[in-house]
Amino acid sequence: MAIYADTPQPHVLARKLLHKLQVIAAPNRDKAFALADGSVFHCPMSSDTARALTLRGEFPFHKILRTLLSAGDTFVDIGANRGLGTLVAARTVGMDGRVFAFEPSNR
């Protein structure tokens, strides 16, 4: 059986199906996602963030944040959305660091 580059792999299709079933069952229910640093992020199953975390796991940007930031650093998150990047940054800079998050949307 030939698999083409643009054909989703079976595990990706299974994750998509799982997400769709979870959204159908309880669209406004929060789901807890465990992140690589041990923190837990909660967001509604119907959100784009939940969909992306279900399908891909953490975003590559989070690994970059963990590489570039150190304990005691200051990080400014402009366009924080649901605060996932803010959470990753806060865990990375620790208690001696500072994180400022701004989100202009009122949702």
Side-chain angles (χ1 to χ4, degrees):
M1 173 167 94
I3 296 179
Y4 300 98
D6 59 344
T7 304
Q9 298 299 312
H11 69 280
V12 174
L13 294 174
R15 284 183 176 198
K16 285 183 178 182
L17 178 60
L18 173 65
H19 179 74
K20 286 184 188 282
L21 291 173
Q22 288 173 332
V23 170
I24 290 168
N28 295 319
R29 192 188 91 210
D30 276 6
K31 180 173 179 180
F33 293 93
L35 304 180
D37 62 8
S39 57
V40 178
F41 180 75
H42 296 262
C43 64
M45 281 305 301
S46 58
S47 70
D48 290 338
T49 303
R51 181 177 184 273
L53 287 171
T54 301
L55 298 180
R56 283 184 259 148
E58 281 196 78
F59 298 92
F61 176 65
H62 300 148
K63 186 175 182 179
I64 294 169
L65 278 180
R66 288 190 188 100
T67 302
L68 295 176
L69 294 174
S70 301
D73 283 353
T74 298
F75 179 76
V76 179
D77 189 355
I78 299 175
N81 199 354
R82 296 188 180 276
L84 180 55
T86 305
L87 175 63
V88 171
R91 291 283 296 218
T92 305
V93 302
M95 295 296 290
D96 294 329
R98 300 176 89 186
V99 174
F100 299 94
F102 302 94
E103 175 52 54
S105 175
N106 62 357
R107 59 180 167 101

